[in-house]
C-alpha cells in the first residue's frame, strides 16, 4: 500500500517523519516535550525546522472528515487549530497496517487546562476557563457548528489579559448546519456540563489543586453564562418609535462584550409606532480589529481592549485628542510599547505573548503606584516587573515562526 499525504500548504519536512512507526514509539529526537491534553487517541507534538505540529492517530475516514471540518472552521474565522494534512496508507516495518494520522499546527502560547494548574492556577480561576468555553461555544453555535463533545480536554487556552481565550482542538464529532437548533444547543450544553464536571472532579482528586472545586457551582455558572450571552446576542427587542436610541445602545452593549454587529434586522409595524430589532450576524473581535487597524498587532480581544485603554490614557495625557488616531497610535507604539518589549531579555521572550506581558505590566503598575502613594512611570514599572516576575515564569511557547 502506498502512503498518501493530503496537505494544505505542504511542508516537505513532514515526509521525513517516521511514519512506519506507531506514534507511541516515536523517538525523543522527533517528539517535543510540550504539554498535551487528555485524548482518546495517541497524540504527539513534533518540531520540523521552525514549525511545530500536533499529530493524532485515528481512522482514515475520521481523519479526513475532521481535516475538512477544521478547514471549514478556519474559513469561517472561528477559533480552532489550523489543519495541516492527513497521512494514510501507513505500514509498519513488518508490513502491518498503521492508523491514519491527522496533522494540525501547534497553537503558539496555548496550553491544555491541566497544564494551567501546574503553572499556578487555583480553584478560584476555574470560572475564567468556563467563561472562555462559553464564548467559544456561543460563537460556534452562531456560525452553525454543532460540537457534540464539549469538554475542557477538547480545548486549548491562550491567556487574554488576565482571562482566557478558548480554541477548539477536536472537531471529530462536529457538524456544520445552516443553523444550530435549540435542541442541538441544549444537547451541547448538557454534554459540556457532564464532561466538565467529571474533568474537574478528576482534577481535584489528582491533587492538582489545593482547594476543592465546587463542580455543581461551576456547571451552573456555565449554563447561566451561556444563556445570558446567547440572549444578549440573539434576542428580539421591541420598543416604541420615539425610543430609536435603543438601537444604538444595543449595538454599544454588544461592542462592550467584544462583538461587532454585521447585520441587524429592523422591523416596524404598519403604523410605524413599534420597532423590533434583532442582531442577525454578530462576530467577536471588535477590539481586536480596532487595535489591528491602528497598530498592526493581532491579539486576543481582551488584550486589545487593554491596549486601547492605555492608548486612550496616552492620548489624554499628551492632549492628542484632536490628532489623527493612527498617528497617535504610532507615537504610542514608538514611545511606550516597543521600548518596553525591547527590555525583555532574549531568553524570556517565550514566557508570555507581548500583549499579555503589557497587560501584566499595567496590573503591576497599579500595585506599585498604590504602595508608593503616587503614579509610578510605565518604564520603571516594566523594568521592575520583568526583573522580579517575568523571568521567573515558565516558558509557554516554542520559539519559531508559525
Amino acid at each position: 500500500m502506498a502512503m498518501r499525504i493530503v496537505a494544505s500548504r505542504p511542508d516537505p519536512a513532514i515526509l521525513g517523519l517516521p511514519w512506519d512507526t506507531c506514534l507511541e514509539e516515536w523517538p525523543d529526537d522527533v517528539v517535543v516535550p510540550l504539554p498535551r491534553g487528555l485524548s482518546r487517541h495517541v497524540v504527539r507534538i513534533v518540531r520540523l525546522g521552525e514549525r511545530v505540529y500536533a499529530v493524532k492517530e485515528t481512522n482514515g475516514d475520521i481523519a479526513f472528515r475532521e481535516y475538512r471540518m477544521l478547514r471549514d472552521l478556519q474559513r469561517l474565522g472561528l477559533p480552532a487549530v489550523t489543519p495541516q494534512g492527513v497521512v494514510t496508507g501507513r505500514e509498519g516495518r513488518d508490513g502491518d497496517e498503521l492508523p491514519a494520522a491527522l496533522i494540525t499546527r501547534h497553537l503558539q502560547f496555548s496550553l491544555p487546562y491541566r497544564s494551567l494548574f501546574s503553572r499556578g492556577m487555583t480553584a478560584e480561576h476555574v470560572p475564567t476557563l468556563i467563561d472562555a468555553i462559553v464564548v467559544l461555544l456561543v460563537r460556534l453555535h452562531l456560525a452553525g457548528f454543532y460540537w457534540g463533545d464539549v469538554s475542557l480536554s477538547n480545548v486549548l487556552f491562550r491567556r487574554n489579559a488576565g482571562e482566557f481565550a478558548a480554541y477548539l482542538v477536536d472537531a471529530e464529532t462536529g457538524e456544520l448546519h445552516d443553523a444550530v437548533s435549540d435542541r442541538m444547543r441544549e444537547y451541547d450544553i448538557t454534554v459540556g456540563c457532564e464532561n466538565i464536571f467529571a474533568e474537574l472532579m478528576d482534577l481535584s482528586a489528582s491533587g492538582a489543586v489545593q482547594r476543592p472545586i465546587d463542580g455543581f457551582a461551576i456547571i451552573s455558572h456555565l449554563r447561566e453564562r451561556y444563556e445570558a450571552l446567547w440572549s444578549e446576542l440573539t434576542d428580539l427587542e421591541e420598543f416604541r418609535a420615539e425610543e430609536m436610541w435603543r438601537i444604538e445602545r444595543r449595538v454599544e452593549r454588544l461592542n462592550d462584550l467584544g462583538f461587532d454587529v454585521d447585520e441587524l434586522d429592523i422591523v416596524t409595524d404598519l403604523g410605524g409606532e413599534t420597532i423590533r430589532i434583532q442582531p442577525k450576524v454578530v462576530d467577536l473581535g471588535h477590539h481586536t480589529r480596532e487595535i489591528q487597524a491602528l497598530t498592526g498587532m493581532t491579539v486576543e480581544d481582551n488584550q486589545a481592549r487593554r491596549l486601547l485603554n492605555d492608548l486612550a490614557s496616552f492620548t489624554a495625557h499628551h492632549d492628542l485628542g484632536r490628532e489623527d488616531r493612527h498617528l497617535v497610535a504610532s507615537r504610542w507604539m514608538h514611545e511606550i510599547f516597543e521600548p518596553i518589549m525591547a527590555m525583555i531579555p532574549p531568553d524570556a521572550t517565550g514566557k508570555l505573548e507581548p500583549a499579555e506581558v503589557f497587560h501584566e505590566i499595567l496590573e503591576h503598575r497599579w500595585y506599585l503606584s498604590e504602595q508608593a502613594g503616587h503614579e509610578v512611570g510605565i518604564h520603571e514599572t516594566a523594568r521592575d516587573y520583568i526583573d522580579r516576575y517575568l523571568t521567573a515564569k515558565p516558558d509557554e511557547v516554542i520559539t519559531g515562526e508559525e
Side-chain angles (χ1 to χ4, degrees):
M1 180 186 300
M3 189 175 75
R4 176 190 178 199
I5 300 178
V6 175
S8 59
R9 300 177 186 171
D11 183 348
I14 290 175
L15 290 168
L17 290 171
W19 296 114
D20 58 353
T21 306
C22 61
L23 256 61
E24 285 183 317
E25 299 175 5
W26 277 20
D28 292 341
D29 62 344
V30 173
V31 177
V32 175
L34 270 179
R36 302 192 308 272
L38 299 179
S39 174
R40 68 178 71 91
H41 304 284
V42 178
V43 179
R44 292 291 181 266
I45 310 295
V46 300
R47 184 209 291 271
L48 298 176
E50 294 298 320
R51 296 177 184 262
V52 181
Y53 299 102
V55 184
K56 177 174 76 173
E57 282 187 335
T58 184
N59 172 274
D61 291 339
I62 293 175
F64 275 113
R65 183 183 181 281
E66 186 171 6
Y67 170 76
R68 295 187 180 103
M69 182 63 67
L70 288 172
R71 293 203 68 183
D72 287 339
L73 295 179
Q74 187 180 24
R75 281 191 285 267
L76 290 170
L78 293 169
V81 293
T82 301
Q84 179 68 25
V86 175
V87 181
T88 56
R90 297 172 61 205
E91 286 186 354
R93 295 169 187 171
D94 56 4
D96 289 346
E97 184 178 350
L98 296 176
L102 171 68
I103 309 170
T104 57
R105 288 196 184 184
H106 169 64
L107 182 64
Q108 282 199 325
F109 289 101
S110 67
L111 291 168
Y113 77 99
R114 285 178 172 268
S115 296
L116 290 170
F117 287 94
S118 69
R119 285 166 164 77
M121 178 174 280
T122 65
E124 288 75 16
H125 296 112
V126 172
T128 63
L129 292 185
I130 301 305
D131 289 344
I133 287 272
V134 165
V135 172
L136 173 62
L137 187 55
V138 167
R139 290 188 68 189
L140 293 173
H141 285 169
L142 287 171
F145 181 81
Y146 162 71
W147 194 339
D149 193 15
V150 183
S151 71
L152 292 170
S153 298
N154 288 337
V155 168
L156 285 173
F157 294 94
R158 295 180 72 180
R159 299 189 188 276
N160 186 16
E163 299 180 14
F164 293 95
Y167 285 75
L168 179 72
V169 180
D170 193 327
E172 187 175 302
T173 58
E175 300 172 3
L176 268 176
H177 301 268
D178 291 334
V180 176
S181 68
D182 290 344
R183 186 173 181 178
M184 287 178 173
R185 290 194 302 109
E186 176 58 32
Y187 182 82
D188 260 352
I189 296 169
T190 300
V191 168
C193 287
E194 292 173 353
N195 286 341
I196 291 171
F197 181 87
E199 288 168 323
L200 292 178
M201 293 304 96
D202 180 65
L203 191 69
S204 291
S206 71
V209 286
Q210 292 182 348
R211 293 179 56 187
I213 298 173
D214 187 342
F216 291 104
I218 292 300
I219 61 175
S220 294
H221 178 80
L222 186 156
R223 186 174 288 275
E224 290 169 5
R225 293 302 294 267
Y226 176 92
E227 291 173 354
L229 182 57
W230 182 264
S231 176
E232 185 63 55
L233 295 177
T234 64
D235 272 2
L236 178 71
E237 186 175 349
E238 184 174 303
F239 49 88
R240 297 189 304 276
E242 59 267 26
E243 298 178 300
M244 294 293 287
W245 51 267
R246 291 177 62 171
I247 296 177
E248 186 174 353
R249 177 172 290 184
R250 181 71 178 273
V251 173
E252 287 176 350
R253 291 204 310 269
L254 295 177
N255 289 166
D256 288 342
L257 289 170
F259 287 83
D260 277 323
V261 181
D262 292 332
E263 188 176 308
L264 187 67
D265 194 11
I266 304 175
V267 180
T268 65
D269 61 8
L270 289 176
E273 297 180 357
T274 303
I275 312 294
R276 297 181 183 89
I277 62 171
Q278 185 175 34
K280 302 299 289 184
V281 181
V282 293
D283 185 32
L284 184 67
H286 174 73
H287 305 100
T288 295
R289 285 184 281 274
E290 187 175 358
I291 198 68
Q292 186 173 35
L294 290 171
T295 68
M297 289 191 291
T298 301
V299 300
E300 299 291 348
D301 205 66
N302 281 348
Q303 293 171 340
R305 189 199 306 260
R306 200 71 198 272
L307 295 175
L308 288 168
N309 287 342
D310 194 67
L311 175 57
S313 297
F314 178 85
T315 303
H317 178 76
H318 293 281
D319 193 22
L320 299 172
R322 293 177 295 277
E323 301 293 331
D324 182 274
R325 287 191 77 203
H326 290 83
L327 295 178
V328 177
S330 177
R331 179 174 167 182
W332 174 82
M333 288 285 289
H334 178 69
E335 295 181 13
I336 304 296
F337 189 84
E338 291 173 351
I340 288 175
M341 294 303 112
M343 292 182 188
I344 301 174
D347 59 354
T349 55
K351 305 293 184 179
L352 293 172
E353 287 183 285
E356 193 67 21
V357 171
F358 195 80
H359 155 74
E360 295 209 350
I361 288 171
L362 293 178
E363 292 285 295
H364 190 54
R365 185 185 192 184
W366 185 88
Y367 290 115
L368 289 183
S369 298
E370 185 179 45
Q371 291 173 356
H374 60 82
E375 185 170 309
V376 178
I378 188 67
H379 295 94
E380 179 185 349
T381 301
R383 172 53 59 202
D384 186 71
Y385 167 80
I386 291 169
D387 291 343
R388 292 174 58 189
Y389 297 104
L390 181 63
T391 54
K393 289 180 177 289
D395 280 6
E396 293 193 0
V397 68
I398 286 185
T399 303
E401 296 179 357
E402 280 285 321

